[in-house]
Amino acid sequence: MELYGFEAGGNFSEQSTGHKPGTNIPHLTQPLSELARSRGQEPEKLTERVESIRQTLFDAREKRIHPYKDDKILTDWNGLMMAAFAKAGRVLNNDAYIGTARHAADFVLKSLRKDNGRLLHRYRNGEAGIDATAEDYAFFIWGLLELYESSFEIDYLETALDLNNDFIQHFWDEQNGGFYLTADDAEELISRPKEVYDGAIPSANSVALLNLVRLGRITANTDLETKAHQLGEAFGQTVAKAPMAHAMMLVGLDFIVGPSREIVIAGDVNAIDTQAMLTALWSRFEPNKVVVMRPIGDGPKIAQIAEYTKNQHSLDGKATAYVCQNYACQLPTTDPGKMLELIGQ
């Protein structure tokens, strides 16, 4: 009873009434080491006893009917997870986190994508189905962008661009701007809603705004940035009335207002000096930027996607940073410290 906080009248109150129902929820009230000390026991002995208690409770619980498990795999939630793990991986220099994001991305692209390239919403027991919603596209594209900036694997950037084109084609409101929740060829509803409120998770339109800006800056595609401006204008009055309820939208708008930067690293992504450059870059919180890796060589794929990078070569074979604002670049540098100075100007 002391271990799990049991009380004769119950150890929790009903949220609606405030009354205790007379039942208990087992939970550890303190670390085992502290409990052992307060009881004058050896921690090892107490641990052995606790394991016996746990097994007894487990055997009793197994006699109950198990609750249903919601074990389906969702494209949108995996996109959010990918974005978090990929960003954490590069900031904390944790390859395992980046690997987790990569594994999720590869699974979705293999198992939750139609033959025509469009996304599906859910997967369970080998079966994928339900046409993707705006959240699936926005969140998964976000995850792919974070994964590209953490791994610089060009395929993820190419896929993000392809999916973003599908997203615009099938979800964009040509008349008023913004993305509908459902595609133009999805099940017909009484009305097609457009969501912008950022609650427990951000809205699809808020994330899509940031995606459009970042993809536009990476590729120097002004059409994508124009779409971002149109999206912001579509919801501007709504956001102005309740800014706190649209935090993610404000992140995207802040990127648009700027100043923001395009940073190109030319070099061998696996080389020590390139990794040192990237480590310095991730050491500071500079959210309004895109980072592009320009590998050594005359014809890398990135130059086809972002043409402005084709003449940004490494100096003397060393990792070289080009810090640009609106594609007007400072003199290149091979010094990570100088790169940070240029970003801070």
Side-chain angles (χ1 to χ4, degrees):
M1 292 181 66
E2 187 178 353
L3 172 69
Y4 287 120
F6 290 166
E7 298 177 13
N11 67 358
F12 71 98
S13 302
E14 293 284 0
Q15 187 174 5
S16 57
T17 65
H19 297 303
K20 291 186 175 182
T23 53
N24 289 274
I25 299 175
H27 66 284
L28 289 176
T29 58
Q30 56 186 316
L32 290 181
S33 59
E34 293 184 11
L35 181 61
R37 185 167 54 251
S38 68
R39 296 172 62 88
Q41 293 178 278
E42 292 291 333
E44 293 78 10
K45 293 289 186 182
L46 181 61
T47 299
E48 291 179 7
R49 187 177 177 196
V50 167
E51 285 305 311
S52 175
I53 292 172
R54 277 166 33 88
Q55 187 62 50
T56 301
L57 289 174
F58 180 80
D59 292 342
R61 193 171 101 174
E62 281 295 283
K63 298 175 183 178
R64 298 181 178 180
I65 297 174
H66 282 223
Y68 288 111
K69 300 179 180 67
D70 185 356
D71 56 359
K72 60 184 177 290
I73 296 171
L74 301 178
T75 300
D76 53 348
W77 284 19
N78 272 275
L80 292 173
M81 182 274 284
M82 287 161 50
F85 269 88
K87 182 175 287 189
R90 65 175 178 260
V91 172
L92 301 175
N93 194 26
N94 188 316
D95 289 337
Y97 287 173
I98 298 173
T100 297
R102 183 186 290 110
H103 184 62
D106 293 345
F107 178 88
V108 171
L109 293 174
K110 178 182 177 182
S111 303
L112 280 155
R113 205 174 183 191
K114 295 181 179 180
D115 291 339
N116 62 6
R118 292 175 64 182
L119 293 175
L120 292 168
H121 175 62
R122 69 103 178 94
Y123 176 96
R124 184 176 185 274
N125 288 343
E127 179 188 351
I130 306 177
D131 289 337
T133 65
E135 289 180 343
D136 294 308
Y137 275 92
F139 297 172
F140 189 63
I141 292 168
W142 183 16
L144 290 173
L145 283 174
E146 298 295 352
L147 185 52
Y148 168 72
E149 287 200 358
S150 295
S151 68
F152 295 110
E153 296 175 38
I154 194 68
D155 290 348
Y156 293 124
L157 178 57
E158 289 182 311
T159 303
L161 288 165
D162 290 341
L163 290 175
N164 197 67
N165 289 336
D166 287 341
F167 191 25
I168 293 172
Q169 180 180 349
H170 295 287
F171 290 81
W172 182 255
D173 181 352
E174 293 289 350
Q175 184 173 355
N176 300 303
F179 289 97
Y180 289 111
L181 177 64
T182 57
D184 54 4
D185 55 358
E187 179 183 358
E188 187 173 349
L189 306 175
I190 296 174
S191 65
R192 291 175 71 193
K194 287 189 292 184
E195 298 178 351
V196 67
Y197 167 74
D198 295 322
I201 58 176
S203 71
N205 273 289
S206 294
V207 174
L209 174 64
L210 188 57
N211 291 343
L212 286 167
V213 177
R214 292 174 69 182
L215 286 170
R217 295 293 169 86
I218 289 173
T219 62
N221 185 334
T222 57
D223 289 341
L224 294 176
E225 292 205 49
T226 298
K227 277 282 189 294
H229 282 266
Q230 292 172 345
L231 196 158
E233 291 170 357
F235 299 109
Q237 292 185 356
T238 301
V239 174
K241 291 177 182 177
M244 292 288 287
H246 303 88
M248 189 66 185
M249 178 69 74
L250 292 176
V251 171
L253 293 174
D254 185 65
F255 200 123
I256 291 176
V257 172
S260 59
R261 291 173 176 83
E262 306 84 40
I263 301 171
V264 180
I265 307 296
D268 178 357
V269 69
N270 296 313
I272 294 176
D273 59 347
T274 305
Q275 289 299 313
M277 189 79 76
L278 292 172
T279 298
L281 184 58
W282 304 137
S283 68
R284 291 205 335 209
F285 181 63
E286 298 284 350
N288 293 350
K289 68 180 182 305
V290 294
V291 181
V292 176
M293 178 61 61
R294 205 287 189 190
I296 294 174
D298 294 329
K301 275 188 177 181
I302 191 62
Q304 301 171 21
I305 296 173
E307 189 175 353
Y308 63 92
T309 66
K310 67 181 181 181
N311 295 319
Q312 294 176 329
H313 300 281
S314 64
L315 301 179
D316 300 323
K318 300 178 181 178
T320 305
Y322 294 80
V323 178
C324 315
Q325 188 169 351
N326 294 324
Y327 309 105
C329 301
Q330 304 276 1
L331 291 175
T333 180
T334 59
D335 179 6
K338 180 62 176 179
M339 173 190 67
L340 294 180
E341 286 183 19
L342 295 174
I343 293 174
Q345 289 181 357

